[in-house]
Amino acid sequence: ELDTGNMNLPHYGSCVPFRATVWLHTPEGGQPSMRRIIPNSEDARAVRLGDRTLVVFVRKGGYTAVKNQCRYSMQLAVFNKDGYLTHEVPLRYTGARLQEKNWMPFVHNDSLYMSYSICPHSVLRCDITSGYCSLAFKTHALKTCDRLLRGGSQLVPAGKHSLVGIAHRTIILKGTSRVARGAAAPAVYKHFLFRVDREPPFALRYVSKAFIFPRFFWSDADWIQFCAGQALDGNQ
């Protein structure tokens, strides 16, 4: 993500932070070049569909006085094999809420799916041309799952039978918990590895114990580090 406060990019209203996603393309043996800036975008997650790259991200905009909230919506950007944007569409789902975030994309049989909720594991199938999504599967295979788990990374294949993702949960820090961490921030993100079946209905099979990313910024930003992407390299 890029801080675009001093860039001449479209403005989407007072609810929107000045952030954008920069799309870089690196040909084999070559140097990276910037192919696209996607304004007003956060938490981009990328998956491959054939020779195309699909990027799912959050867009903020549109204050609603009804609930005194900003609107969050999910968007899809499609890039061709040369790294150029072919089209961008909003992702629409009839069951969508005012604030939609944390959809986790994955590909199966040349179709785009979204892990919409983890507990229960609700999966949407999305058309990459129109952006329309429908509920494809909903399973309750794991009985001890925490319903407060929210999405994080895209899902990636792990072996022949599984997909693996990283979810998160927001923990509110109070009193001694904040003092012990030396944190001014009121919350911390805890993360969880989870595993689902690689074949429909993509039933949830495992959720790990919670973990927190190692400190990197040495500021309150360390407590709200967020995982929007992952990759598997061998067994790591």
Side-chain angles (χ1 to χ4, degrees):
E1 288 182 0
L2 175 71
D3 185 341
T4 60
N6 59 351
M7 299 180 67
N8 185 24
L9 294 174
H11 187 262
Y12 292 84
S14 59
C15 286
V16 181
F18 289 103
R19 292 183 180 174
T21 299
V22 178
W23 184 251
L24 301 177
H25 177 67
T26 306
E28 186 174 354
Q31 295 296 317
S33 60
M34 186 166 66
R35 293 293 173 89
R36 186 77 180 181
I37 295 178
I38 306 176
N40 182 20
S41 60
E42 292 185 355
D43 300 340
R45 304 157 172 91
V47 293
R48 297 283 292 179
L49 178 57
D51 61 0
R52 292 171 291 183
T53 300
L54 312 182
V55 180
V56 178
F57 60 91
V58 180
R59 174 158 288 162
K60 298 180 182 180
Y63 174 80
T64 170
V66 176
K67 293 187 177 182
N68 194 31
Q69 292 178 322
C70 296
R71 186 178 301 277
Y72 292 66
S73 62
M74 300 299 299
Q75 307 281 322
L76 171 67
V78 179
F79 292 82
N80 64 19
K81 64 180 180 179
D82 296 316
Y84 290 103
L85 180 71
T86 61
H87 66 278
E88 179 183 315
V89 292
L91 293 172
R92 299 181 175 92
Y93 171 48
T94 55
R97 298 158 296 189
L98 177 66
Q99 294 188 338
E100 286 292 351
K101 302 171 66 178
N102 302 315
W103 294 18
M104 296 173 288
F106 63 97
V107 170
H108 178 74
N109 286 348
D110 295 326
S111 294
L112 177 64
Y113 291 86
M114 300 286 174
S115 182
Y116 179 74
S117 72
I118 300 174
C119 305
H121 192 218
S122 300
V123 177
L124 308 181
R125 182 188 292 112
C126 298
D127 183 271
I128 67 170
T129 301
S130 66
Y132 282 100
C133 303
S134 59
L135 181 65
F137 306 101
K138 187 174 183 179
T139 56
H140 300 77
L142 199 62
K143 303 302 182 183
T144 58
C145 190
D146 185 347
R147 297 181 67 90
L148 295 179
L149 286 181
R150 296 182 290 167
S153 71
Q154 78 279 62
L155 276 64
V156 300
K160 295 181 180 180
H161 306 294
S162 300
L163 298 170
V164 171
I166 298 178
H168 82 288
R169 181 181 173 186
T170 302
I171 306 297
I172 303 300
L173 299 176
K174 297 181 179 179
T176 56
S177 296
R178 293 179 67 176
V179 173
R181 293 184 182 274
V188 59
Y189 287 173
K190 289 189 175 182
H191 293 81
F192 305 78
L193 286 162
F194 70 95
R195 175 170 53 85
V196 303
D197 290 342
R198 194 165 177 172
E199 297 292 329
F202 311 111
L204 179 69
R205 298 300 181 185
Y206 172 78
V207 177
S208 75
K209 294 181 179 180
F211 67 92
I212 298 174
F213 288 112
R215 299 203 69 172
F216 179 81
F217 302 100
W218 293 100
S219 70
D220 278 349
D222 286 318
W223 310 125
I224 54 171
Q225 292 186 77
F226 176 77
C227 179
Q230 62 165 333
L232 285 179
D233 182 8
N235 291 324
Q236 298 185 344

